[in-house]
Amino acid sequence: MSDVDFLEMLLGGVEVKWVEVGQLISPQRGRRLVKSQLEEAGSYAVYQNSMKPLGYYHESNTQAGACFVVVAGAAGEIGFSDAAFWAADDVYFFPESKAVNSKYLYHFLLTKRHEISSQVRRASIPRLSIAVVEKLEIPIPCPDNPKKSLEIQAEIARILDAFTELTAELTAELTAELTARKKQY
């Protein structure tokens, strides 16, 4: 089953309009911090050029529940944070929107991970133009009713979160079982 077929099944026949991400929400570029400003432990994780925090900072520039994309280093990586954080200059984040649910956007971008990573320019430091993400077309259910649209998007995101959690549990259990069997034999 393709990603599009799965989305159509989840939407249950409601009207869907495909809209470029950049028309719905403008990604915001983070702000640079120098290493001397970072702390080993602190209130807010700092994401720079990977999905692993570079350090911590005493304030945030991105709200909790934000989707973000790394555009240098680990360019093309897609993240979501339930906690507020500091987005450095190699990270673009998507602020809260009245048109698209952040978690829904995150799951959509994950389905486009291959397409996004194929656009990364490989150089001494891999780079991704945020325009690649802005030009992706995302399905928006009930485009004429923003409240209902956000409710449907939230439900789709909840279902996908549940599948993600179950997959992680199953993978952990299977890995433990495999380890036990290798030990046994």
Side-chain angles (χ1 to χ4, degrees):
M1 176 181 288
S2 75
D3 293 336
V4 175
D5 292 340
F6 181 67
L7 276 173
E8 287 175 1
M9 183 183 75
L10 284 173
L11 293 170
V14 299
E15 179 189 354
V16 175
K17 183 177 180 183
W18 290 80
V19 183
E20 286 186 359
V21 170
Q23 291 178 353
L24 293 173
I25 184 170
S26 294
Q28 305 295 306
R29 187 174 186 178
R31 288 193 2 234
R32 178 174 292 279
L33 289 177
V34 294
K35 195 163 184 124
S36 63
Q37 293 174 292
L38 299 177
E39 304 161 359
E40 286 187 36
S43 303
Y44 302 102
V46 175
Y47 292 101
Q48 170 66 29
N49 52 14
S50 76
M51 297 306 290
K52 182 180 176 195
L54 183 63
Y56 295 87
Y57 194 57
H58 62 275
E59 61 183 84
S60 69
N61 64 357
T62 307
Q63 77 280 2
C67 175
F68 62 95
V69 177
V70 177
V71 295
E77 289 291 320
I78 300 153
F80 185 87
S81 179
D82 287 319
F85 64 95
W86 184 272
D89 60 337
D90 287 337
V91 172
Y92 278 84
F93 62 93
F94 296 89
E96 192 173 334
S97 167
K98 294 182 185 200
V100 65
N101 175 288
S102 291
K103 202 65 174 273
Y104 178 76
L105 175 63
Y106 167 72
H107 283 292
F108 169 75
L109 292 177
L110 288 177
T111 69
K112 299 296 184 181
R113 190 176 1 205
H114 179 71
E115 189 175 332
I116 292 169
S117 65
S118 73
Q119 297 297 313
V120 172
R121 290 184 313 259
R122 307 286 175 205
S124 60
I125 298 175
R127 297 210 84 37
L128 173 71
S129 168
I130 196 63
V132 169
V133 176
E134 290 177 308
K135 290 181 181 178
L136 293 173
E137 290 190 342
I138 185 172
I140 300 298
C142 298
D144 298 328
N145 185 342
K147 184 177 187 247
K148 184 174 182 183
S149 180
L150 288 173
E151 289 171 1
I152 292 170
Q153 291 174 39
E155 179 62 12
I156 290 169
R158 185 194 66 74
I159 291 167
L160 293 173
D161 281 343
F163 279 131
T164 301
E165 186 177 321
L166 289 171
T167 301
E169 285 177 24
L170 183 58
T171 300
E173 289 172 7
L174 289 173
T175 301
E177 180 68 22
L178 181 62
T179 303
R181 293 289 170 231
K182 283 182 178 179
K183 222 179 216 183
Q184 181 182 9
Y185 296 110

